[in-house]
Amino acid sequence: MNKTHDTPKPARFSKEDLLKEVRNLVLLDARSRSWVYDPGAAYRLLGWKPTHGFGGALLDIELYDFDEAAEGEGQSADLGHLPLMQVFEQLYDYGVLGLRRQDMEPLEPATMPAFVACWMNDVCSSTLVSEAHNAEQPSFRLPRITIDLALARAVLDGVGPEPRFISRDGDPLDSDHLTYAEVALLAGMDERSVRNAASKPDSGLTTVASDDGRKSFIKADVARAWLKGRRGF
């Protein structure tokens, strides 16, 4: 199970904005393969033929934008043939738009969404990538938010995975409970606002305490009823 401690801020964004960041993740992943295996490995992963030997834009560590690298190499920036791009499109449709596509696998361990989430986490936390790029690689915020939104919506819909394949400190162990951060993401608002709403007796956003009393969570049915009145949901 992957562990990450970043809490994305709520946002709404376009699918193209998301896929651009995913392509940039692929760029770093492909480039790292060239260091571990051989320079041609990065090109083979993308289905590209080197047009400048192995000194082209793809392997230039000063370049973080996949589309610019493709242009510099004279190659297509379309990565639609990669399964991970298709999975992120499915997760966007479900997490952001609330549209569950028939071709999307369940959000459970050992399925494509889980594999893609783990891949993203591995690239983002890669020591190899960080060292080679002087720890300056982008945060890739939108892929994180997309996965978090899809997982939160699955809990809301009663099809949440147990255990969750990406977890954070303080996440609920039960598949029918949501964190304040998850409700905030679904509502398209700041987490502090959700906490403020939960503190008001007449808001309808009641919470339950964890077994040790240190954390509070929101049951899925309560969150669902409350979110129906939110414009950002």
Side-chain angles (χ1 to χ4, degrees):
M1 179 180 292
N2 286 339
K3 293 281 185 179
T4 178
H5 304 286
D6 297 331
T7 301
K9 296 179 180 179
R12 288 298 182 266
F13 46 90
S14 72
K15 184 184 291 187
E16 181 49 40
D17 288 340
L18 163 67
L19 296 181
K20 181 175 179 60
E21 288 197 6
V22 176
R23 291 196 296 273
N24 292 343
L25 270 173
V26 172
L27 171 64
L28 296 188
D29 184 32
R31 191 175 288 158
S32 67
R33 292 169 185 255
S34 73
W35 304 322
V36 176
Y37 300 110
D38 65 81
Y43 291 87
R44 290 194 295 273
L45 173 68
L46 301 173
W48 290 1
K49 292 183 178 180
T51 54
H52 304 287
F54 293 127
L58 180 58
L59 305 186
D60 182 356
I61 62 172
E62 300 296 326
L63 194 60
Y64 298 97
D65 188 288
F66 180 87
D67 296 345
E68 290 182 17
E71 183 178 0
E73 294 277 0
Q75 305 280 357
S76 170
D78 182 10
L79 294 180
H81 62 285
L82 296 181
L84 69 91
M85 301 298 291
Q86 300 162 18
V87 172
F88 268 110
E89 287 198 42
Q90 295 163 357
L91 291 173
Y92 179 91
D93 288 348
Y94 183 54
V96 178
L97 304 180
L99 304 174
R100 186 176 181 87
R101 291 167 42 169
Q102 292 185 348
D103 59 345
M104 187 180 78
E105 293 185 22
L107 297 175
E108 299 173 354
T111 62
M112 280 303 295
F115 295 150
V116 166
C118 292
W119 168 83
M120 177 205 70
N121 209 47
D122 289 346
V123 176
C124 289
S125 61
S126 167
T127 301
L128 174 62
V129 170
S130 178
E131 288 291 329
H133 292 85
N134 298 316
E136 294 179 354
Q137 70 266 29
S139 64
F140 302 106
R141 182 168 160 268
L142 300 187
R144 291 181 185 274
I145 291 177
T146 299
I147 290 172
D148 285 348
L149 272 168
L151 282 170
R153 193 175 291 277
V155 173
L156 201 69
D157 291 346
V159 293
E162 188 175 355
R164 302 185 185 203
F165 50 74
I166 282 187
S167 68
R168 295 177 175 79
D169 288 347
D171 272 3
L173 297 179
D174 294 332
S175 61
D176 64 341
H177 288 68
L178 293 157
T179 64
Y180 290 106
E182 289 174 323
V183 175
L185 278 175
L186 289 165
M189 60 193 299
D190 188 88
E191 181 180 343
R192 182 179 299 178
S193 299
V194 174
R195 290 183 176 274
N196 288 339
S199 68
K200 299 176 181 178
D202 59 347
S203 70
L205 194 61
T206 56
T207 61
V208 294
S210 60
D211 292 339
D212 59 10
R214 298 175 60 185
K215 297 285 184 179
S216 294
F217 303 109
I218 303 167
K219 293 195 68 173
D221 57 345
V222 172
R224 190 182 307 114
W226 184 79
L227 285 166
K228 287 182 179 179
R230 305 303 306 177
R231 183 178 299 178
F233 177 59

